[in-house]
Each structure stands twice: as structure tokens, then as C-alpha cells.
Amino acid sequence: MIDVGARADRTTAVFERELGTLARNRLYPLLAVGFAALIVAIALGSDVSGYVPLVATLLTPIELLVPVLVAAMGYRSILGDRERGELDVLRTYPATREEYVVGVFLGRLVAITATVVAPLLAVGVAVPVVGRAPTFLPQPSGLDSPVLYLRFVVLTGLFAAALLAVMTLLSALVADARRGLVLAVAVVVAATVGVDAVAVFGLATGVPLGWAALPALSPNGAYRGLVLALAVAPVSTPPARPAPAFLSALSLFCWTTIPLLVAALRVWPAPE
């Protein structure tokens, strides 16, 4: 019989250890400050007011900046333990592979979520107050609501979680920092332009077979589809036409869970 309490305690111990590792690294605060500065500069520089115009302004920068941030903060999550020889020591502890991977993932996720969400909430409070009157997207029906912006913030957190899961898998597979960095850059490029480029090619060449829904199969495309469906489409004119929301949600769920499952299988050999 599985002792749920003991498993939770072991996962929590790994989680706390990961937070301590992040707190001792001077690079991560610099990344957080740089990300926040860029988001604030983009939001205030856009001179918009209203929550949906703010979502429209930030969507593309977020699609580009969050993968870079997650790659920088996540590609060494397990690789760092392997390089320092700590992974061999951790294998002798009672924690299972699954508990270790989940604890590492959650520790990094807390740091990344705080880094991403805090500036988004800050500009969500400031921009509708200091910006000019909205001139596009919202209809005069009063539907432009902070709830729509909060949906955008929550979806951005889920997007970051999916990307972090991919980086955790990458970190479990690679054996050295140089290879990890190369693969992290490759993942960022693939996530930001890869599937979208294939979809654009399909549309440009007139090939049928549902090319419009293809971007939903990538983390970026799934995130964009959910934002358009849940935070922009309710008040946009003309209505936004993203990929089906259920397909985007399923894609983002799979991008979060499957890499973690594979990482748990590959982080170290199963006990005999």
C-alpha cells in the first residue's frame, strides 16, 4: 500500500531543496528583474488602456520571452545535480524517481511563476489607469473586464509550466551543460516558430487537412489559442477565430504531463 503522506514529505523535501538551490544562484534574480523590466516597458510604452487591449499588446512578447526565461531557469534543473555528482547521492535516498522529478519541477515552477505573474499583475493594475482610452478590440458593451486579463495571467502561468516540463525532460536526458544549452535553444526556437511555420506553409500552399488547428499542437500555439478563445474572443470585433479551445487545452496538458513522466523514467535507472 502506498504511503501518500511519506511520498508527499519526500517530494516536499526535494521541493524545498530546489528552492534553496535557486535562492543561492545570483543569475535568477537578474533574469527576474530583466523580465519584469521588459514587460513593464512594453506595457507602458504601448500607451493602451483596457484589459483586452493590454492582453493583445502583451501576447506576442510573452510568447517570445517566456520560453527564453524558462529555458534559462530550467535547463539545468536536473543536469546541475548530475554535474555536481549529487544525483548519484540522491539515488541512495528513499525518494523515488517520480518524487525527485516532481519536487524539482515544482520548486522551479514556483520561482518561474512568481517571475512571470508578478509583473503581469503589476501592469494589469497600472496600465488601464494610466493608459489612453481604448480604440480597438473591446465593444462598447462594457465586457472589457479584469476577469479576462486574469484569465490571460493564469494561462500564461500554465504555459510556463508546460515549457518547464519540457526543459525538465531535456535536463534529465543530457549529460553536459553544452549539450543541454544547445538543446534548450533548439526547444525555444521550435516552440516559438516551428509548428507555426509548418502551419503557415500548409496554408500558403493550399494543402487541406486542418492546418489552421496545427499550431495548437505546440505549447506556444496552444497557449495562444486559449488566450484568444478565453480572453480576447468574448469582446473582439471581428471575433477572434483560434483553434478549438478543447484541443489547445489538451495539447497544453499533454506538454506538461508527458515530459514529466518520461523524465521520471530516464532520470536514473529503475531499481532492480
Side-chain angles (χ1 to χ4, degrees), residues 159-186:
F159 174 48
L163 293 173
L164 178 60
V166 175
M167 289 298 163
T168 303
L169 171 59
L170 180 153
S171 190
L173 296 177
V174 298
D176 59 81
R178 179 177 299 179
R179 186 175 301 176
L181 181 59
V182 170
L183 289 178
V185 172

Side-chain angles (χ1 to χ4, degrees), residues 148-221:
L148 298 175
Y149 185 78
L150 286 176
R151 290 179 184 176
F152 166 67
V153 174
V154 171
L155 290 171
T156 302
L158 296 177
F159 174 48
L163 293 173
L164 178 60
V166 175
M167 289 298 163
T168 303
L169 171 59
L170 180 153
S171 190
L173 296 177
V174 298
D176 59 81
R178 179 177 299 179
R179 186 175 301 176
L181 181 59
V182 170
L183 289 178
V185 172
V187 168
V188 169
V189 173
T192 53
V193 300
V195 178
D196 284 355
V198 174
V200 170
F201 173 79
L203 291 171
T205 55
V207 179
L209 214 61
W211 289 95
L214 184 60
L217 300 181
S218 71
N220 276 54

Side-chain angles (χ1 to χ4, degrees), residues 93-163:
Y93 285 21
T96 65
R97 299 179 298 174
E98 294 80 6
E99 293 161 357
Y100 168 73
V101 169
V102 171
V104 168
F105 171 76
L106 291 178
R108 300 267 168 168
L109 182 60
V110 166
I112 290 173
T113 301
T115 300
V116 170
V117 168
L120 289 179
L121 292 178
V123 298
V125 172
V127 168
V129 175
V130 303
R132 60 178 172 82
T135 58
F136 66 98
L137 279 178
Q139 298 173 340
S141 58
L143 291 178
D144 186 33
S145 163
V147 173
L148 298 175
Y149 185 78
L150 286 176
R151 290 179 184 176
F152 166 67
V153 174
V154 171
L155 290 171
T156 302
L158 296 177
F159 174 48
L163 293 173

Side-chain angles (χ1 to χ4, degrees), residues 2-186:
I2 298 176
D3 189 340
V4 177
R7 299 199 68 167
D9 289 342
R10 292 191 293 266
T11 302
T12 301
V14 177
F15 166 79
E16 293 174 346
R17 171 186 174 275
E18 196 66 20
L19 288 180
T21 300
L22 291 172
R24 292 189 297 270
N25 193 312
R26 297 180 181 180
L27 174 62
Y28 299 136
L30 294 177
L31 289 171
V33 171
F35 179 84
L38 285 172
I39 293 300
V40 171
I42 292 168
L44 296 181
S46 65
D47 194 27
V48 297
S49 180
Y51 297 103
V52 175
L54 182 57
V55 170
T57 297
L58 292 176
L59 179 56
T60 298
I62 286 292
E63 283 190 64
L64 298 175
L65 293 174
V66 168
V68 174
L69 175 71
V70 173
M73 296 183 68
Y75 88 96
R76 289 179 60 87
S77 54
I78 294 174
L79 175 61
D81 286 341
R82 180 178 290 112
E83 289 183 318
R84 293 188 297 268
E86 295 179 15
L87 202 57
D88 292 330
V89 176
L90 290 168
R91 289 173 57 181
T92 66
Y93 285 21
T96 65
R97 299 179 298 174
E98 294 80 6
E99 293 161 357
Y100 168 73
V101 169
V102 171
V104 168
F105 171 76
L106 291 178
R108 300 267 168 168
L109 182 60
V110 166
I112 290 173
T113 301
T115 300
V116 170
V117 168
L120 289 179
L121 292 178
V123 298
V125 172
V127 168
V129 175
V130 303
R132 60 178 172 82
T135 58
F136 66 98
L137 279 178
Q139 298 173 340
S141 58
L143 291 178
D144 186 33
S145 163
V147 173
L148 298 175
Y149 185 78
L150 286 176
R151 290 179 184 176
F152 166 67
V153 174
V154 171
L155 290 171
T156 302
L158 296 177
F159 174 48
L163 293 173
L164 178 60
V166 175
M167 289 298 163
T168 303
L169 171 59
L170 180 153
S171 190
L173 296 177
V174 298
D176 59 81
R178 179 177 299 179
R179 186 175 301 176
L181 181 59
V182 170
L183 289 178
V185 172

